[in-house]
Amino acid sequence: MITLMLCFFVMLYDPSETDAIQMAALQAAISNNNTGGQVSLSPGTLATLGNVVSSLPALDKGKRLGPSMKKAISSFAPVVKTNKITITSDERGVVISLASDAFFEEGKAELNIGETRDILLRLARFFEEPEVHDKRWRIEGHTDNRPVPAGSEFKSNWELSAARAANVLHYLSDFGVNEQQFSIAGYADTRPKFSNDTPEGRAYNRRVDVIILDEGHF
């Protein structure tokens, strides 16, 4: 039965109509199956899996956000190579992550505008593209788990992360984006992408995420 289902989905697969978000949704559905190789699913489990795959709302969301994801990848391809920006997708939507160390000095919220002005201008122009101009956005500030430096103007990483998100929005507003389409949030070190046990992991966790929101996260 598993082999027949696999053949069925292979027959349905059309690479020309597939985007990254749809594939991620399908992979997430399949990964819910915890059975090992050569183990048959029970009828109840099989029916449940069929219902999940056939009615996944994430597939519809993928169709809506797919053009946004493709446009983001094409718009920021040169910058992604510098490791100052990464583009991913998750349950929130399409995520454009700004490497905090490139945009801010340690423990500070003021943007290093001399080094990052071109990137922010590119980001502001991206918001005007037809694929995304009517979307809702959220800017999220994140830190690693180390406390703010002694003598910092911020009491904790909560204030620091929120201030960084707000300053990114202020600069984007100066470059012409519509603030009414945005919200901001500061999460301190509560949502790490990697372990904070290594310098590399902490560097990835220090970031500002600019998110094209899925409708369920407005």
Side-chain angles (χ1 to χ4, degrees):
M1 181 61 72
I2 294 175
T3 302
L4 290 173
M5 289 184 64
L6 177 60
C7 293
F8 174 71
F9 285 117
V10 168
M11 292 174 63
L12 291 179
Y13 175 67
D14 182 355
S16 66
E17 297 180 355
T18 303
D19 59 55
I21 296 180
Q22 286 177 306
M23 288 303 298
L26 184 57
Q27 290 170 357
I30 295 174
S31 67
N32 286 333
N33 171 22
N34 295 321
T35 62
Q38 299 181 355
V39 177
S40 299
L41 293 172
S42 66
T45 304
L46 183 60
T48 300
L49 178 61
N51 290 335
V52 169
V53 173
S54 64
S55 63
L56 256 180
L59 292 177
D60 185 50
K61 296 173 184 176
K63 292 178 182 178
R64 294 195 300 269
L65 287 176
S68 302
M69 181 71 166
K70 293 174 183 176
K71 188 62 181 180
I73 291 173
S74 63
S75 297
F76 295 103
V79 186
V80 168
K81 295 179 181 179
T82 69
N83 294 322
K84 293 180 180 179
I85 280 183
T86 59
I87 300 173
T88 57
S89 64
D90 59 24
E91 71 281 357
R92 297 170 295 173
V94 177
V95 183
I96 303 170
S97 295
L98 313 180
S100 180
D101 290 357
F103 287 80
F104 304 95
E105 294 183 14
E106 184 176 356
K108 297 185 180 297
E110 185 175 350
L111 273 160
N112 186 355
I113 196 65
E115 295 292 329
T116 60
R117 187 175 189 274
D118 289 344
I119 298 176
L120 293 172
L121 278 171
R122 185 187 294 267
L123 190 58
R125 289 195 294 265
F126 170 67
F127 295 144
E128 301 301 321
E129 296 289 348
E131 293 87 348
V132 299
H133 78 278
D134 60 343
K135 304 294 185 183
R136 298 285 299 179
W137 303 76
R138 184 167 67 232
I139 303 178
E140 298 180 353
H142 303 269
T143 69
D144 59 28
N145 65 343
R146 295 182 299 180
V148 295
S152 171
E153 62 182 298
F154 303 103
K155 291 183 178 180
S156 70
N157 283 323
W158 288 103
E159 288 83 1
L160 174 60
S161 60
R164 286 180 169 177
N167 283 344
V168 169
L169 178 57
H170 291 328
Y171 269 101
L172 292 175
S173 178
D174 290 342
F175 294 148
V177 305
N178 180 10
E179 287 187 344
Q180 301 301 315
Q181 293 177 262
F182 286 80
S183 59
I184 64 170
Y187 290 103
D189 62 335
T190 62
R191 298 189 180 184
K193 295 179 69 174
F194 298 94
S195 170
N196 279 304
D197 294 336
T198 65
E200 294 80 9
R202 290 192 295 270
Y204 279 112
N205 292 334
R206 296 190 297 269
R207 68 195 190 278
V208 173
D209 289 342
V210 182
I211 306 165
I212 309 174
L213 290 173
D214 172 76
E215 290 182 3
H217 287 78
F218 284 2

